[in-house]
Amino acid sequence: RATKNVATFLGPDALERYSVECRDVYEGIDETDLDRVVLDLPEPWRVVKHAARAMHRGGILVAYTPQITQAVQLRHELSAQGFGMVDTIEVLNRGWHIEGQSVRPDHRMVAHTGFLTHSRLLS
């Protein structure tokens, strides 16, 4: 699925620039000098030490977590592994009603969809 998504969104030539592997990232990352690590896992903090070894200084790690307690644990581990400039945002989704001159937010809103934490490897 990941390979298909890369080809669909970035074109078939993009597969020459991306490597898609099926493996347990909790066990480690073999690659080195990575620019970015993007995580959507139940326990992203377990990957931070591997990401720190695999990334070059200044690289960016981004992780999605559905619960704030997961984001807190992730941020603790990021700090322990030399990441800085850490920021966590809550993702909200609010639709809009637009009909002619009638423009207003929808009466109903999904108030919480998840948290995105991003950081930069500083050391």
Side-chain angles (χ1 to χ4, degrees):
R1 179 182 284 171
T3 302
K4 183 179 177 187
N5 286 346
V6 168
T8 300
F9 292 109
L10 302 176
D13 294 341
L15 292 172
E16 297 172 16
R17 299 186 314 266
Y18 290 87
S19 172
V20 177
E21 299 180 19
C22 291
R23 64 173 52 206
D24 186 348
V25 74
Y26 293 138
E27 298 296 321
I29 300 171
D30 293 337
E31 291 79 6
T32 59
D33 202 34
L34 297 176
D35 294 322
R36 306 286 186 271
V37 172
V38 179
L39 302 172
D40 182 1
L41 303 165
E43 299 174 329
W45 54 89
R46 291 178 50 198
V47 180
V48 172
K49 65 183 174 192
H50 305 308
R53 286 193 294 270
M55 297 171 71
H56 67 73
R57 192 174 187 189
I60 296 172
L61 183 144
V62 178
Y64 166 81
T65 52
Q67 299 173 358
I68 191 61
T69 54
Q70 292 168 303
V72 170
Q73 194 162 356
L74 172 62
R75 288 183 63 131
H76 175 73
E77 187 62 22
L78 287 166
S79 294
Q81 295 295 329
F83 285 84
M85 302 172 68
V86 183
D87 193 26
T88 299
I89 62 168
E90 183 177 14
V91 179
L92 302 173
N93 182 7
R94 177 172 69 174
W96 279 76
H97 170 85
I98 300 174
E99 280 186 32
Q101 297 296 318
S102 175
V103 178
R104 61 173 167 68
D106 283 341
H107 294 296
R108 184 157 190 235
M109 176 176 154
V110 178
H112 166 68
T113 57
F115 297 91
L116 289 175
T117 299
H118 61 89
S119 60
R120 204 174 270 279
L121 182 60
L122 300 180
S123 62

